[in-house]
């Protein structure tokens, strides 16, 4: 009962967050430009933030913590555990800490992220987890660490004592570089850079592939008909194991009670068997659900087999299949398949970026691939899987491509690529003639025959001029309302109507009793009628306080006359 209450507590906290509400995308969106642009200039990778908005447990992290997250794994039987890495290569964990699966050396639950100091300096290449849960992690150096539940020796250290801290496996793997890891409920599989598979842990159904049902206490190479093959991808279902080799063949072993091995039978296999029915089909990837299997071919097609009680095979009915059955998604190629050993959910992504899901989806059985609104298969698991756990390590896109807009942003005020500099108030601003000519009518003519690489400006202040030039690179401004008044002047001068609008917006959003008169004067001066009306209304609505400000006392005589007559016309002085 106590366990149950603790889990409920975690779920509630995760759902509502410490602040009592879910973080909305918009709340995170209101960074000012300088915050966004500075890191862009520093390093490219720090620009990319991991999008974890769909994972409730992340509401236990502060905004500042979320900014730093680069990899993440949500696991545990009730999605109650979280491990993530930061841009500084630190590893943090939080959650109920079932069986010490947070690796902190104790079994204390924690609602705040705690740093996993024992792995300081290690970078995670891949990670998988079992149902105990236990964790198997490979570093970018190819070392393997395990911790957590160990009743079936799934930590591979020769014992069955729960592993409260990360254990570095050396036996049989010391000269190997591990590049992929996969966990079933209670067994572990790793793939080395030379295409060998090692397995250990629970072996009640032969999932370790050793040829016996005794649990395997230390890593043992899976041999038999895999002996001379080069494996390129591995996966584990609840109690079975799969390997794709470089010729496109699929080898399977372990539990087969629901036909999840695809051999046309339901007998368990203690050693690897080739899926003969896939003869002539070249498989590239395999993914296993709890008791079903998906493969992706080199032609972008998906085959499924195994348990089908929730429609997880996507065949349109719920009968189990012990042979590979094609899944018809759409004409477009499939480029990614997704499943997780603890769920009956399937997902796939097409080349065109469409994401489909089927199987158990929030308790419903979806027997045909259903087009979602998501852009990632990870979101399917965050929103629809039971439990809602990650099917792979979430990572910031390795893609360091910048869009045209992002590239231009980076080049503003960059002395290394600039061919023109403005000298304003004794300070330089570095720009590119061609971009200015493309973006601004004024510069198109003024820079036409300009041979100089330096232009001195005195009409406007440095912050105003800088904001203007930056706007030409970024389409946006970030200024205080008072500075925006200066920029409004410039925008009027250069006839930049969109910039004028942005300035007015900034001013409206920044108006207060103290600055209202100054802003009103500016609106009048720059003939911004809409803004003038807005400032006037604000002054009328706050008349008592506004008339006591220094801005009001120092108001220009004509403007004051005008203000009073307009105010009396709208009846402001009636009482
Ligand atoms: C295996 O891990 C357990 C739990 O951390 C530990 O007690 C034991 O000493 C380890 N065994 C070896 C051989 O390191
Ligand atoms: C694993 O289980 C199979 C039978 O299911 C058995 O033949 C094999 O020897 C077991 N492996 C080990 C390492 O004990
Ligand atoms: C792994 O270690 C065990 C025990 O030390 C040994 O029997 C086995 O042959 C080793 N090698 C492989 C490849 O499994
Ligand atoms: C299909 O597999 C499930 C196990 O996942 C099992 O409960 C069900 O009875 C099987 N159905 C048939 C018709 O064998
Ligand atoms: C379920 O769908 C599969 C694949 O289309 C088909 O082979 C099988 O006959 C169907 N089973 C039933 C009971 O309709």
């Amino acid at each position: 009962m106590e366990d149950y209450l603790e889990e409920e507590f975690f779920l509630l906290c995760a759902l509502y967050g410490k602040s009592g509400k879910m973080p909305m995308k918009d709340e995170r969106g209101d960074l000012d430009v300088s915050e966004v642009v500075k890191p862009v200039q520093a390093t490219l990778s720090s620009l990319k933030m991991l999008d974890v908005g769909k994972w409730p447990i992340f509401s236990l992290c502060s905004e500042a913590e979320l900014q730093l997250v680069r990899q993440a794994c949500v696991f545990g039987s009730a999605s109650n555990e979280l491990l993530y890495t930061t841009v500084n290569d630190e590893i943090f964990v939080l959650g109920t800490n079932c069986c010490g699966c947070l690796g902190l050396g104790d079994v204390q639950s924690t609602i705040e992220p705690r740093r996993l100091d024992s792995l300081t300096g290690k970078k995670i290449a891949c990670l998988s987890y079992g149902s105990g849960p236990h964790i198997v992690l490979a570093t970018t150096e190819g070392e393997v660490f395990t911790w957590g539940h160990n009743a079936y020796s799934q930590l591979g250290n020769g014992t069955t004592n729960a592993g409260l801290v990360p254990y570095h496996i050396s036996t049989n793997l010391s000269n190997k570089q591990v590049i992929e890891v996969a966990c079933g409920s209670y067994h572990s599989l790793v793939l080395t850079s030379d295409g060998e598979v090692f397995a250990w842990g629970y072996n009640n159904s032969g999932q370790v592939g050793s040829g016996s049902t005794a649990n395997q206490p230390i890593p043992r190479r899976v041999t038999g008909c895999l002996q001379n093959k080069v494996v390129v991808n591995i996966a584990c279902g609840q109690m079975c194991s799969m390997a794709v080799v470089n010729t496109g063949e699929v080898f399977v072993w372990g539990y087969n009670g629901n036909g999840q091995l695809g051999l046309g039978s339901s007998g368990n296999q203690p050693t690897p068997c080739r899926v003969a029915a896939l003869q002539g089909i070249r498989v590239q990837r395999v993914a296993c659900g709890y008791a079903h299997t998906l493969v992706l071919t080199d032609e972008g097609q998906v085959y499924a087999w195994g348990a089908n009680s929730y429609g997880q095979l996507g065949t349109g009915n719920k009968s189990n299949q012990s042979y590979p059955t094609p899944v018809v998604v759409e004409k477009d190629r499939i480029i990614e398949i997704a499943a997780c050993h603890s769920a009956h959910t399937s997902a796939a992504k097409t080349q065109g970026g469409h994401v489909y899901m089927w199987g158990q989806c929030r308790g419903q059985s979806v027997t045909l691939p259903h087009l979602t609104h998501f852009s990632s298969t990870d979101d399917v698991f965050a929103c629809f899987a039971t439990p809602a756990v990650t099917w792979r390590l979430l990572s910031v896109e390795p893609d360091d491509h910048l869009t045209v807009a992002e590239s231009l942003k980076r080049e503003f005020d960059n002395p290394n690529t600039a061919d023109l500099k403005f000298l304003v108030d004794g300070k330089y601003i570095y720009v590119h003639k061609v971009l200015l000519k493309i973006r601004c009518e004024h510069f198109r003519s003024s820079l036409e025959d300009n041979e100089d690489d330096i232009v001195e400006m005195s009409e406007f202040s440095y912050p105003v001029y800088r904001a203007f030039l930056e706007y030409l690179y970024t389409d946006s401004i970030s200024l205080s309302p008072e500075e925006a008044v200066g920029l409004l002047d410039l925008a009027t001068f250069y006839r930049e109507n969109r910039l004028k609008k942005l300035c007015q917006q900034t001013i409206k959003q920044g108006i207060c009793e103290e600055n209202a008169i100054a802003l009103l004067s500016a609106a009048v001066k720059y003939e911004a009628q809409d803004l003038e009306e807005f400032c006037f209304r604000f002054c009328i609505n706050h008349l008592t306080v506004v008339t006591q400000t220094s801005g009001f006392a120092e108001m220009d005589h004509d403007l004051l006359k005008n203000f009073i007559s307009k105010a009396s016309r709208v009846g402001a002085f009636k009482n």
Side-chain angles (χ1 to χ4, degrees):
M1 191 59 192
E2 260 175 56
D3 280 357
Y4 173 76
L5 284 174
E6 190 169 31
E7 290 196 348
E8 289 284 285
F9 174 61
F10 253 85
L11 194 63
L12 279 172
C13 292
L15 276 170
Y16 297 109
K18 284 179 285 194
S19 63
K21 60 178 181 171
M22 288 283 288
M24 293 293 173
K25 266 234 169 93
D26 291 343
E27 288 182 18
R28 216 184 294 163
D30 64 356
L31 294 170
D32 73 38
V33 172
S34 64
E35 279 177 78
V36 178
V37 173
K38 266 183 228 145
V40 172
Q41 284 163 346
T43 68
L44 216 153
S45 66
S46 64
L47 168 76
K48 309 272 178 186
M49 242 180 82
L50 188 62
D51 179 10
V52 293
K54 301 234 169 30
W55 298 93
I57 196 166
F58 271 99
S59 52
L60 292 173
C61 298
S62 70
E63 287 300 299
E65 285 157 353
L66 288 173
Q67 296 283 331
L68 302 176
V69 176
R70 290 301 174 272
Q71 292 171 308
C73 175
V74 178
F75 61 105
S77 53
S79 334
N80 275 340
E81 337 278 352
L82 170 64
L83 177 150
Y84 66 86
T85 69
T86 69
V87 66
N88 310 316
D89 290 320
E90 292 177 315
I91 302 176
F92 288 88
V93 288
L94 67 82
T96 44
N97 205 4
C98 191
C99 297
C101 68
L102 299 185
L104 294 166
D106 55 44
V107 290
Q108 294 291 307
S109 73
T110 170
I111 205 153
E112 306 224 311
R114 283 174 64 190
R115 198 170 58 206
L116 190 49
D117 287 321
S118 55
L119 290 178
T120 297
K122 305 288 180 192
K123 295 184 189 177
I124 302 181
C126 49
L127 180 151
S128 187
Y129 57 84
S131 300
H134 74 288
I135 303 285
V136 177
L137 172 159
T139 67
T140 50
E141 316 260 79
E143 301 168 307
V144 178
F145 290 87
T146 59
W147 66 92
H149 190 253
N150 195 27
Y152 303 96
S153 296
Q154 63 266 49
L155 302 187
N157 89 339
T159 75
T160 52
N161 310 328
L164 299 182
V165 293
Y167 170 75
H168 179 192
I169 300 190
S170 54
T171 318
N172 285 352
L173 290 177
S174 55
N175 302 317
K176 303 286 178 185
Q177 165 133 28
V178 167
I179 56 169
E180 242 185 79
V181 299
C183 293
S185 288
Y186 304 109
H187 73 291
S188 309
L189 221 60
V190 300
L191 171 63
T192 68
S193 57
D194 35 39
E196 295 176 346
V197 177
F198 287 76
W200 60 91
Y202 199 26
N203 189 36
N204 66 333
S205 313
Q207 58 268 51
V208 164
S210 55
S212 99
T213 46
N215 298 335
Q216 173 65 37
I218 54 164
R220 179 185 180 285
R221 186 167 173 215
V222 180
T223 52
C225 54
L226 275 185
Q227 179 76 57
N228 298 311
K229 304 278 185 185
V230 176
V231 174
V232 295
N233 180 217
I234 53 173
C236 292
Q238 184 215 7
M239 293 191 295
C240 62
S241 307
M242 319 248 156
V244 178
V245 303
N246 61 356
T247 56
E249 295 168 308
V250 179
F251 289 84
V252 295
W253 59 98
Y255 185 68
N256 194 23
N258 316 107
Q260 54 265 72
L261 299 188
L263 302 171
S265 62
S266 60
N268 299 347
Q269 297 296 328
T271 56
C273 294
R274 189 172 67 92
V275 180
L278 289 171
Q279 181 72 36
I281 293 169
R282 289 179 76 103
V283 169
Q284 284 188 326
R285 304 286 302 174
V286 60
C288 295
Y290 185 85
H292 75 288
T293 306
L294 304 173
V295 294
L296 177 64
T297 75
D298 64 346
E299 294 181 294
Q301 283 168 338
V302 179
Y303 290 82
W305 60 86
N308 198 18
S309 314
Y310 303 93
Q312 59 266 51
L313 302 186
T315 52
N317 62 39
K318 294 186 188 175
S319 24
N320 302 348
Q321 302 288 323
S322 60
Y323 281 116
T325 311
V327 182
V328 182
V329 178
E330 63 170 65
K331 286 203 195 79
D332 202 2
R333 271 181 98 102
I334 302 295
I335 56 164
E336 184 177 283
I337 49 172
C340 171
H341 83 271
S342 57
H344 307 286
T345 309
S346 304
K349 184 172 176 170
T350 71
Q351 196 165 39
H354 294 151
V355 171
Y356 287 82
M357 67 178 183
W358 62 97
Q360 194 178 38
C361 299
R362 275 202 178 231
Q364 297 188 45
S365 298
V366 178
T367 61
L368 282 171
H370 173 80
L371 178 61
T372 69
H373 304 291
F374 299 132
S375 59
S376 131
T377 55
D378 300 309
D379 292 347
V380 171
F381 283 79
C383 301
F384 286 93
T386 311
V389 288
T390 44
W391 71 271
R392 61 173 166 190
L393 185 65
L394 301 178
S395 304
V396 174
E397 288 277 307
D399 177 14
D400 55 5
H401 170 79
L402 290 179
T403 62
V404 173
E406 288 163 339
S407 303
L408 291 184
K409 241 178 229 189
R410 263 161 73 87
E411 292 310 313
F412 172 65
D413 207 11
N414 177 357
N416 300 326
T417 58
D419 58 359
L420 180 67
K421 52 189 173 188
F422 286 91
L423 181 59
V424 194
D425 300 343
K427 283 179 262 187
Y428 289 117
I429 307 167
Y430 295 87
V431 292
H432 307 78
K433 283 183 189 171
V434 63
L435 185 129
L436 266 43
K437 286 203 233 167
I438 291 170
R439 295 276 293 155
C440 174
E441 192 75 47
H442 165 76
F443 288 123
R444 208 164 301 156
S445 45
S446 76
L447 291 177
E448 185 53 39
D449 300 311
N450 179 301
E451 299 280 310
D452 303 338
D453 59 1
I454 172 164
V455 176
E456 219 175 313
M457 299 299 301
S458 52
E459 291 91 340
F460 302 98
S461 68
Y462 173 81
V464 165
Y465 220 79
R466 190 186 152 88
F468 169 52
L469 293 170
E470 188 168 13
Y471 161 78
L472 296 179
Y473 282 74
T474 62
D475 260 332
S476 59
I477 60 169
S478 78
L479 288 175
S480 67
E482 288 79 7
E483 288 173 317
V485 170
L487 190 56
L488 179 62
D489 183 14
L490 181 149
T492 312
F493 182 75
Y494 286 126
R495 297 201 185 85
E496 287 286 334
N497 288 330
R498 183 170 176 275
L499 182 58
K500 250 177 113 166
K501 272 195 200 130
L502 282 181
C503 293
Q504 294 185 27
Q505 215 173 57
T506 304
I507 295 168
K508 284 181 184 176
Q509 285 163 359
I511 196 168
C512 60
E513 288 158 343
E514 203 47 53
N515 67 14
I517 293 291
L519 298 180
L520 174 67
S521 321
V524 172
K525 181 170 167 200
Y526 304 125
E527 296 170 19
Q529 279 154 8
D530 171 52
L531 181 64
E532 181 187 337
E533 188 56 32
F534 176 87
C535 294
F536 176 73
R537 286 277 153 211
F538 185 91
C539 291
I540 296 299
N541 292 342
H542 300 261
L543 196 59
T544 315
V545 181
V546 165
T547 52
Q548 288 161 15
T549 63
S550 57
F552 190 81
E554 293 155 14
M555 209 166 169
D556 170 88
H557 181 72
D558 288 344
L559 189 62
L560 180 62
K561 239 172 74 184
N562 227 319
F563 180 81
I564 292 175
S565 90
K566 204 172 164 196
S568 60
R569 248 181 290 140
V570 299
F573 302 123
K574 267 189 187 142
N575 323 318

